[in-house]
Amino acid sequence: MKKVLVLIFAIFSLPLLSQNNSVVSGIVKNGENGEPLPYASVSLKNYPIGTISNENGEFDFYVPKSKQNDTLSISFIGFNLYLIPLKNIRGNLEIEMNPALNVLDEIVISRLSPLEYVQRAVEKIEENYPKTSYQTIAYYREKFIENEKVIKKDEGVFKTYYPKPSDSLKNEHQLILYRPADNPQKFQFMRDWIDKRQAKEKKKAIKKGEDFEDFDMERDMNLGGPETIINLADIRNNDKDNFLNPKHFKKYEFSFGDETSLNGETLVTIEYKAKRKIDHVKDQGKILISKETYAIALIEGTGVLSIPAAIRPILFLIGLKISNPVFSKTIRYQKFKDTWYPSLFRWDANVNLTKRHMFSSNEYAKINIGQVFSINELDSPASPISKSKQFDSSEEMETQVHNDLNLDWNELNIVKE
C-alpha cells in the first residue's frame, strides 16, 4: 500500500516538479517525416524571451521563475504554431510540428513581380523595423575549427543598445558573461613554417633593438565580436546585402517560391540568384516577406567567395592552395507589438587548405568558422551603455566582463551544440 501511495504521489507531483525546474529541454521535429527542424524559434507566448533549436532540432530553454505560468511557444516558418502551458510540461519534450495548410487554395496571379516585392520591402524598412532605441540580451558564439578540432570557441552574453535610426550613434555592446572552450587545440596547418617565420622576424627585431610582439595564433584569431555579425546582417544598415541593394538588382534573378506562413501571417517567398560574381561573391537564397506589410521576416542564403586573381600568383609561389570558401547565413526577425525585431543572426564558412611540399607530404586542413547572435530578451525603450563598460573588439574578451545584471550561465538561453 505504501508503494502505491508513493507512486501516486510521484505521478501527481510531476507537473509541480517541472515548475521547480527552470529549464525546459526538447527536440523539434517535422510531424510528417520525423526530420529535425533546425533553428526553430522557442519562446514564451506573453513575454519576449526565447532561444532557438540547434542544427539537430534540440533546445534547452531557461524559464525565469516569475514566468512559469506562461505558455511555451514553438514556431517554424511553414508550420502551425505549437503552444503548450509550462505547467503541463513533464520531462523532455518531443514536439512534432504540423505543416501549415497551403496558404493558397487556388493559383492567384500576383499583382507584383518578385523584384517589386523586394523593392517594396526595402522601401518599407524604416516603417517595419524599430523607430526608437531598444536593447537586447543575446547569446553570442564565435568558432574556429580545424579538421573537426576546436581551435577557438568563445561564448558570451551581450547586452546591446541599438540607437534609433535617426541617431548618428553606433550600436553599443556590454559583455555580461564570457567563457572560452574547455580544451582548445593548437592550430596545426603550416605550423612549422609560421613558427620559423616568426622566429626569424623576432631575431631581426632584436638585432635592430626594436620591440617585437609575438603573434599568438589561437589568441589573435578574432572574428570581431557581435558588431561584425550585426553589421553583416542588420537590414537597417545602409551597407545592405547585394540582393537588397537597388544598384545591384539587375545582377540578380528573382523568382517566386511557395507562399507560406508564420504565426498566422502570410509570407511570400522570393528566391534570388546572382547572375555573376559581385565583389568576388556569387550567392543565392530566399527572402520571406510579409504579404501584408512587406516586412522581411527571414533571409537564408549560401554562396561562394572567389579568390581574387591578383592573390593567386602569390599563393602559387608559396605552394598554398585555397579552395573557394563556401558560406551560409540565416537572418531572422520576430514580430512584437507590430514591429519586427532581430531574432537570430548566424553565418558559417568552410574552406579547404593545401600546402604543397617538394620533398615531404602535403599538408591539408579543413577550416570551419562562424558566428551566432541569438536574441534572448528585448526591451524598449533603452539607455546607452556607459563608455567604461562598452565592449572593444580589439581587446581580449575575458578582460571586459561587466556583469552588473548578476546573470548566470544557468539562467540564460544558449544555442545548444
mmCIF file with all atom_site columns, all heavy atoms in Angstrom, residues 353-364:
data_model
loop_
_atom_site.group_PDB
_atom_site.id
_atom_site.type_symbol
_atom_site.label_atom_id
_atom_site.label_alt_id
_atom_site.label_comp_id
_atom_site.label_asym_id
_atom_site.label_entity_id
_atom_site.label_seq_id
_atom_site.pdbx_PDB_ins_code
_atom_site.Cartn_x
_atom_site.Cartn_y
_atom_site.Cartn_z
_atom_site.occupancy
_atom_site.B_iso_or_equiv
_atom_site.pdbx_formal_charge
_atom_site.auth_seq_id
_atom_site.auth_comp_id
_atom_site.auth_asym_id
_atom_site.auth_atom_id
_atom_site.pdbx_PDB_model_num
ATOM 1   N N   . LEU A 1 353 ? 42.255 23.948 -47.243 1.00 0.00 ? 353 LEU A N   1
ATOM 2   C CA  . LEU A 1 353 ? 43.596 24.474 -47.485 1.00 0.00 ? 353 LEU A CA  1
ATOM 3   C C   . LEU A 1 353 ? 44.558 23.328 -47.796 1.00 0.00 ? 353 LEU A C   1
ATOM 4   O O   . LEU A 1 353 ? 44.476 22.257 -47.182 1.00 0.00 ? 353 LEU A O   1
ATOM 5   C CB  . LEU A 1 353 ? 44.113 25.237 -46.267 1.00 0.00 ? 353 LEU A CB  1
ATOM 6   C CG  . LEU A 1 353 ? 43.227 26.366 -45.717 1.00 0.00 ? 353 LEU A CG  1
ATOM 7   C CD1 . LEU A 1 353 ? 43.840 26.940 -44.443 1.00 0.00 ? 353 LEU A CD1 1
ATOM 8   C CD2 . LEU A 1 353 ? 43.054 27.456 -46.759 1.00 0.00 ? 353 LEU A CD2 1
ATOM 9   N N   . THR A 1 354 ? 45.470 23.576 -48.728 1.00 0.00 ? 354 THR A N   1
ATOM 10  C CA  . THR A 1 354 ? 46.515 22.601 -49.054 1.00 0.00 ? 354 THR A CA  1
ATOM 11  C C   . THR A 1 354 ? 47.851 23.326 -49.151 1.00 0.00 ? 354 THR A C   1
ATOM 12  O O   . THR A 1 354 ? 47.961 24.353 -49.831 1.00 0.00 ? 354 THR A O   1
ATOM 13  C CB  . THR A 1 354 ? 46.237 21.900 -50.399 1.00 0.00 ? 354 THR A CB  1
ATOM 14  O OG1 . THR A 1 354 ? 44.959 21.278 -50.354 1.00 0.00 ? 354 THR A OG1 1
ATOM 15  C CG2 . THR A 1 354 ? 47.302 20.848 -50.676 1.00 0.00 ? 354 THR A CG2 1
ATOM 16  N N   . LYS A 1 355 ? 48.853 22.812 -48.454 1.00 0.00 ? 355 LYS A N   1
ATOM 17  C CA  . LYS A 1 355 ? 50.234 23.330 -48.568 1.00 0.00 ? 355 LYS A CA  1
ATOM 18  C C   . LYS A 1 355 ? 51.071 22.252 -49.239 1.00 0.00 ? 355 LYS A C   1
ATOM 19  O O   . LYS A 1 355 ? 51.241 21.152 -48.703 1.00 0.00 ? 355 LYS A O   1
ATOM 20  C CB  . LYS A 1 355 ? 50.806 23.665 -47.178 1.00 0.00 ? 355 LYS A CB  1
ATOM 21  C CG  . LYS A 1 355 ? 52.272 24.147 -47.209 1.00 0.00 ? 355 LYS A CG  1
ATOM 22  C CD  . LYS A 1 355 ? 52.387 25.487 -47.906 1.00 0.00 ? 355 LYS A CD  1
ATOM 23  C CE  . LYS A 1 355 ? 53.798 26.079 -47.772 1.00 0.00 ? 355 LYS A CE  1
ATOM 24  N NZ  . LYS A 1 355 ? 54.774 25.438 -48.698 1.00 0.00 ? 355 LYS A NZ  1
ATOM 25  N N   . ARG A 1 356 ? 51.548 22.578 -50.458 1.00 0.00 ? 356 ARG A N   1
ATOM 26  C CA  . ARG A 1 356 ? 52.339 21.609 -51.215 1.00 0.00 ? 356 ARG A CA  1
ATOM 27  C C   . ARG A 1 356 ? 53.803 21.665 -50.775 1.00 0.00 ? 356 ARG A C   1
ATOM 28  O O   . ARG A 1 356 ? 54.379 22.748 -50.615 1.00 0.00 ? 356 ARG A O   1
ATOM 29  C CB  . ARG A 1 356 ? 52.223 21.895 -52.711 1.00 0.00 ? 356 ARG A CB  1
ATOM 30  C CG  . ARG A 1 356 ? 50.830 21.643 -53.276 1.00 0.00 ? 356 ARG A CG  1
ATOM 31  C CD  . ARG A 1 356 ? 50.810 21.812 -54.780 1.00 0.00 ? 356 ARG A CD  1
ATOM 32  N NE  . ARG A 1 356 ? 51.007 23.207 -55.151 1.00 0.00 ? 356 ARG A NE  1
ATOM 33  C CZ  . ARG A 1 356 ? 50.003 24.068 -55.331 1.00 0.00 ? 356 ARG A CZ  1
ATOM 34  N NH1 . ARG A 1 356 ? 48.748 23.670 -55.185 1.00 0.00 ? 356 ARG A NH1 1
ATOM 35  N NH2 . ARG A 1 356 ? 50.253 25.319 -55.673 1.00 0.00 ? 356 ARG A NH2 1
ATOM 36  N N   . HIS A 1 357 ? 54.396 20.478 -50.613 1.00 0.00 ? 357 HIS A N   1
ATOM 37  C CA  . HIS A 1 357 ? 55.818 20.362 -50.257 1.00 0.00 ? 357 HIS A CA  1
ATOM 38  C C   . HIS A 1 357 ? 56.535 19.541 -51.325 1.00 0.00 ? 357 HIS A C   1
ATOM 39  O O   . HIS A 1 357 ? 55.993 18.567 -51.858 1.00 0.00 ? 357 HIS A O   1
ATOM 40  C CB  . HIS A 1 357 ? 55.987 19.691 -48.893 1.00 0.00 ? 357 HIS A CB  1
ATOM 41  C CG  . HIS A 1 357 ? 55.435 20.494 -47.748 1.00 0.00 ? 357 HIS A CG  1
ATOM 42  N ND1 . HIS A 1 357 ? 56.053 21.623 -47.255 1.00 0.00 ? 357 HIS A ND1 1
ATOM 43  C CD2 . HIS A 1 357 ? 54.302 20.339 -47.009 1.00 0.00 ? 357 HIS A CD2 1
ATOM 44  C CE1 . HIS A 1 357 ? 55.334 22.122 -46.256 1.00 0.00 ? 357 HIS A CE1 1
ATOM 45  N NE2 . HIS A 1 357 ? 54.260 21.364 -46.087 1.00 0.00 ? 357 HIS A NE2 1
ATOM 46  N N   . MET A 1 358 ? 57.755 19.922 -51.625 1.00 0.00 ? 358 MET A N   1
ATOM 47  C CA  . MET A 1 358 ? 58.525 19.232 -52.657 1.00 0.00 ? 358 MET A CA  1
ATOM 48  C C   . MET A 1 358 ? 59.011 17.863 -52.182 1.00 0.00 ? 358 MET A C   1
ATOM 49  O O   . MET A 1 358 ? 58.968 16.884 -52.925 1.00 0.00 ? 358 MET A O   1
ATOM 50  C CB  . MET A 1 358 ? 59.727 20.098 -53.068 1.00 0.00 ? 358 MET A CB  1
ATOM 51  C CG  . MET A 1 358 ? 59.349 21.386 -53.783 1.00 0.00 ? 358 MET A CG  1
ATOM 52  S SD  . MET A 1 358 ? 58.777 21.085 -55.468 1.00 0.00 ? 358 MET A SD  1
ATOM 53  C CE  . MET A 1 358 ? 60.308 20.568 -56.245 1.00 0.00 ? 358 MET A CE  1
ATOM 54  N N   . PHE A 1 359 ? 59.497 17.776 -50.953 1.00 0.00 ? 359 PHE A N   1
ATOM 55  C CA  . PHE A 1 359 ? 60.162 16.557 -50.506 1.00 0.00 ? 359 PHE A CA  1
ATOM 56  C C   . PHE A 1 359 ? 59.505 15.915 -49.295 1.00 0.00 ? 359 PHE A C   1
ATOM 57  O O   . PHE A 1 359 ? 60.120 15.082 -48.634 1.00 0.00 ? 359 PHE A O   1
ATOM 58  C CB  . PHE A 1 359 ? 61.644 16.859 -50.204 1.00 0.00 ? 359 PHE A CB  1
ATOM 59  C CG  . PHE A 1 359 ? 62.354 17.495 -51.368 1.00 0.00 ? 359 PHE A CG  1
ATOM 60  C CD1 . PHE A 1 359 ? 62.704 18.838 -51.326 1.00 0.00 ? 359 PHE A CD1 1
ATOM 61  C CD2 . PHE A 1 359 ? 62.670 16.762 -52.501 1.00 0.00 ? 359 PHE A CD2 1
ATOM 62  C CE1 . PHE A 1 359 ? 63.357 19.437 -52.394 1.00 0.00 ? 359 PHE A CE1 1
ATOM 63  C CE2 . PHE A 1 359 ? 63.315 17.357 -53.575 1.00 0.00 ? 359 PHE A CE2 1
ATOM 64  C CZ  . PHE A 1 359 ? 63.672 18.694 -53.532 1.00 0.00 ? 359 PHE A CZ  1
ATOM 65  N N   . SER A 1 360 ? 58.319 16.308 -49.022 1.00 0.00 ? 360 SER A N   1
ATOM 66  C CA  . SER A 1 360 ? 57.586 15.694 -47.905 1.00 0.00 ? 360 SER A CA  1
ATOM 67  C C   . SER A 1 360 ? 56.100 15.723 -48.231 1.00 0.00 ? 360 SER A C   1
ATOM 68  O O   . SER A 1 360 ? 55.678 16.307 -49.237 1.00 0.00 ? 360 SER A O   1
ATOM 69  C CB  . SER A 1 360 ? 57.865 16.441 -46.591 1.00 0.00 ? 360 SER A CB  1
ATOM 70  O OG  . SER A 1 360 ? 57.476 17.803 -46.691 1.00 0.00 ? 360 SER A OG  1
ATOM 71  N N   . SER A 1 361 ? 55.322 15.109 -47.386 1.00 0.00 ? 361 SER A N   1
ATOM 72  C CA  . SER A 1 361 ? 53.884 15.012 -47.624 1.00 0.00 ? 361 SER A CA  1
ATOM 73  C C   . SER A 1 361 ? 53.227 16.384 -47.550 1.00 0.00 ? 361 SER A C   1
ATOM 74  O O   . SER A 1 361 ? 53.632 17.247 -46.754 1.00 0.00 ? 361 SER A O   1
ATOM 75  C CB  . SER A 1 361 ? 53.241 14.092 -46.583 1.00 0.00 ? 361 SER A CB  1
ATOM 76  O OG  . SER A 1 361 ? 53.776 12.791 -46.663 1.00 0.00 ? 361 SER A OG  1
ATOM 77  N N   . ASN A 1 362 ? 52.242 16.571 -48.395 1.00 0.00 ? 362 ASN A N   1
ATOM 78  C CA  . ASN A 1 362 ? 51.484 17.818 -48.358 1.00 0.00 ? 362 ASN A CA  1
ATOM 79  C C   . ASN A 1 362 ? 50.692 17.935 -47.055 1.00 0.00 ? 362 ASN A C   1
ATOM 80  O O   . ASN A 1 362 ? 50.355 16.936 -46.416 1.00 0.00 ? 362 ASN A O   1
ATOM 81  C CB  . ASN A 1 362 ? 50.522 17.892 -49.543 1.00 0.00 ? 362 ASN A CB  1
ATOM 82  C CG  . ASN A 1 362 ? 51.240 18.036 -50.872 1.00 0.00 ? 362 ASN A CG  1
ATOM 83  O OD1 . ASN A 1 362 ? 52.418 18.385 -50.913 1.00 0.00 ? 362 ASN A OD1 1
ATOM 84  N ND2 . ASN A 1 362 ? 50.538 17.764 -51.953 1.00 0.00 ? 362 ASN A ND2 1
ATOM 85  N N   . GLU A 1 363 ? 50.395 19.182 -46.685 1.00 0.00 ? 363 GLU A N   1
ATOM 86  C CA  . GLU A 1 363 ? 49.551 19.439 -45.507 1.00 0.00 ? 363 GLU A CA  1
ATOM 87  C C   . GLU A 1 363 ? 48.147 19.797 -45.977 1.00 0.00 ? 363 GLU A C   1
ATOM 88  O O   . GLU A 1 363 ? 47.968 20.479 -46.991 1.00 0.00 ? 363 GLU A O   1
ATOM 89  C CB  . GLU A 1 363 ? 50.111 20.607 -44.685 1.00 0.00 ? 363 GLU A CB  1
ATOM 90  C CG  . GLU A 1 363 ? 51.471 20.350 -44.083 1.00 0.00 ? 363 GLU A CG  1
ATOM 91  C CD  . GLU A 1 363 ? 51.965 21.580 -43.322 1.00 0.00 ? 363 GLU A CD  1
ATOM 92  O OE1 . GLU A 1 363 ? 51.335 21.942 -42.302 1.00 0.00 ? 363 GLU A OE1 1
ATOM 93  O OE2 . GLU A 1 363 ? 52.956 22.180 -43.771 1.00 0.00 ? 363 GLU A OE2 1
ATOM 94  N N   . TYR A 1 364 ? 47.156 19.355 -45.202 1.00 0.00 ? 364 TYR A N   1
ATOM 95  C CA  . TYR A 1 364 ? 45.770 19.638 -45.524 1.00 0.00 ? 364 TYR A CA  1
ATOM 96  C C   . TYR A 1 364 ? 45.047 20.140 -44.276 1.00 0.00 ? 364 TYR A C   1
ATOM 97  O O   . TYR A 1 364 ? 45.351 19.725 -43.156 1.00 0.00 ? 364 TYR A O   1
ATOM 98  C CB  . TYR A 1 364 ? 45.048 18.385 -46.037 1.00 0.00 ? 364 TYR A CB  1
ATOM 99  C CG  . TYR A 1 364 ? 45.679 17.774 -47.268 1.00 0.00 ? 364 TYR A CG  1
ATOM 100 C CD1 . TYR A 1 364 ? 46.603 16.745 -47.153 1.00 0.00 ? 364 TYR A CD1 1
ATOM 101 C CD2 . TYR A 1 364 ? 45.354 18.239 -48.540 1.00 0.00 ? 364 TYR A CD2 1
ATOM 102 C CE1 . TYR A 1 364 ? 47.195 16.175 -48.278 1.00 0.00 ? 364 TYR A CE1 1
ATOM 103 C CE2 . TYR A 1 364 ? 45.941 17.672 -49.674 1.00 0.00 ? 364 TYR A CE2 1
ATOM 104 C CZ  . TYR A 1 364 ? 46.854 16.648 -49.529 1.00 0.00 ? 364 TYR A CZ  1
ATOM 105 O OH  . TYR A 1 364 ? 47.429 16.094 -50.641 1.00 0.00 ? 364 TYR A OH  1
#
